[in-house]
Amino acid sequence: MKSTTLHIGENILSVMNQKGITKAELARMLKVKPQSVDYLLKRKSVDTDTLYNISVVLDFDFSKFYSINQTFSEQTNFDINQSKAKVLVEISLNVEDIVKLNLKNRIVQILDK
């Protein structure tokens, strides 16, 4: 299994600095000892419950650092084909609209390529 170059403690400290939050303040917000925050900020990784609690008190979604697409693109050098983009859209259509738009056939054509 590949290891990431991500150091979550450094990212947490960066967010704290941006928000002007001290280690002592974070410790109070998390209801932990200040030494626990010192230890946390030196960690390359933390458990998900801890990361969730930190995300809540700092009002910052640290899980985005673990996005597969972001992690992949950060660690891999590749050319991006600018002529295509992947777009995910969720809409509700009735059967009549699906028929008018010929979506079923278009989806089959795309998948057959």
Side-chain angles (χ1 to χ4, degrees):
M1 181 184 296
K2 239 180 166 182
S3 174
T4 69
T5 57
L6 178 67
H7 190 290
I8 196 63
E10 292 174 358
N11 289 320
I12 293 167
L13 182 59
S14 176
V15 171
M16 288 170 58
N17 290 335
Q18 290 171 11
K19 294 182 177 266
I21 295 173
T22 66
K23 293 177 186 179
E25 289 171 320
L26 182 60
R28 279 192 295 277
M29 294 185 329
L30 292 172
K31 299 177 182 163
V32 298
K33 295 178 182 179
Q35 297 89 337
S36 296
V37 171
D38 284 330
Y39 175 71
L40 170 78
L41 297 177
K42 294 175 186 170
R43 302 271 317 194
K44 184 178 184 315
S45 63
V46 297
D47 66 82
T48 54
D49 287 341
T50 301
L51 190 61
Y52 173 79
N53 290 325
I54 294 166
S55 293
V56 169
V57 299
L58 292 180
D59 191 30
F60 185 89
D61 184 7
F62 288 96
S63 68
K64 71 181 179 180
F65 291 122
Y66 294 97
S67 166
I68 292 171
N69 291 334
Q70 181 176 350
T71 302
F72 177 76
S73 65
E74 286 175 354
Q75 295 178 355
T76 307
N77 294 322
F78 60 92
D79 293 326
I80 298 174
N81 182 350
Q82 296 294 336
S83 66
K84 291 188 176 188
K86 181 178 182 180
V87 179
L88 301 175
V89 179
E90 184 175 330
I91 57 174
S92 296
L93 297 173
N94 60 36
V95 175
E96 183 179 284
D97 290 333
I98 293 171
V99 171
K100 284 181 187 177
L101 294 171
N102 196 24
L103 289 180
K104 183 178 177 183
N105 290 336
R106 184 64 184 126
I107 291 169
V108 169
Q109 288 173 352
I110 291 170
L111 294 174
D112 282 342
K113 288 183 180 182

